[in-house]
Amino acid sequence: MDTVAMLGTGGMLEDLRMLDLFRDRQLNWERIAEIAVEKSLDADLNTAGKRYGQPVTLTEEQWADIVRTGQKARASVPADAIAGEPTDWELFELLLGLRWEIALLCGFAYHDGPDTAGSDLDNQLAA
């Protein structure tokens, strides 16, 4: 982005700042877990739910719908796409984006912190 345009009848910008997401912030990145994303779609809710540090809010039926959608996407090929309709992957991505909890249970997010035992699907590395 190189231009910020603001339309209005008047005003004053105060303390305007820019966030540079590409600047090296000298952070000491360290791998803390290996997440088995692909195994998520073959797991039951109890197994995937251990990724969360609290009880899941999804029902078994809702989890089964998510798993079916993900498995259908995984089995699809680009030739399956129908013009003007979302692909199986787009539908699955929509589900992942609806709630952080869904992304977490499917292995596309990570819940870290005290009292988080984790799921048998994943490998938590020694800190």
Side-chain angles (χ1 to χ4, degrees):
M1 177 175 14
D2 61 8
T3 304
V4 176
M6 297 185 190
L7 306 174
T9 57
M12 182 156 116
L13 296 177
E14 188 173 322
D15 202 22
L16 179 66
R17 298 176 191 207
M18 181 178 78
L19 174 63
D20 183 354
L21 297 176
F22 297 98
R23 190 180 96 214
D24 183 3
R25 303 217 185 284
Q26 303 299 312
L27 298 173
N28 184 19
W29 294 103
E30 176 183 336
R31 283 181 31 197
I32 59 174
E34 294 171 346
I35 308 302
V37 176
E38 189 170 350
K39 290 180 183 178
S40 303
L41 297 177
D42 298 320
D44 60 41
L45 181 58
N46 185 52
T47 302
K50 291 179 182 171
R51 287 180 167 146
Y52 208 178
Q54 57 191 5
V56 297
T57 63
L58 297 173
T59 66
E60 294 279 350
E61 185 178 327
Q62 290 168 327
W63 176 247
D65 287 342
I66 291 166
V67 166
R68 270 192 300 278
T69 303
Q71 288 173 339
K72 189 174 178 187
R74 187 168 56 183
S76 69
V77 294
D80 295 339
I82 299 171
E85 292 186 21
T87 66
D88 293 328
W89 273 112
E90 289 169 334
L91 291 173
F92 185 55
E93 289 170 350
L94 178 64
L95 285 174
L96 292 173
L98 286 175
R99 288 182 20 209
W100 177 80
E101 180 183 24
I102 294 172
L104 173 69
L105 298 179
C106 289
F108 289 90
Y110 183 69
H111 182 251
D112 184 27
D115 302 324
T116 303
S119 171
D120 295 337
L121 299 172
D122 307 320
N123 182 24
Q124 293 190 7
L125 306 174

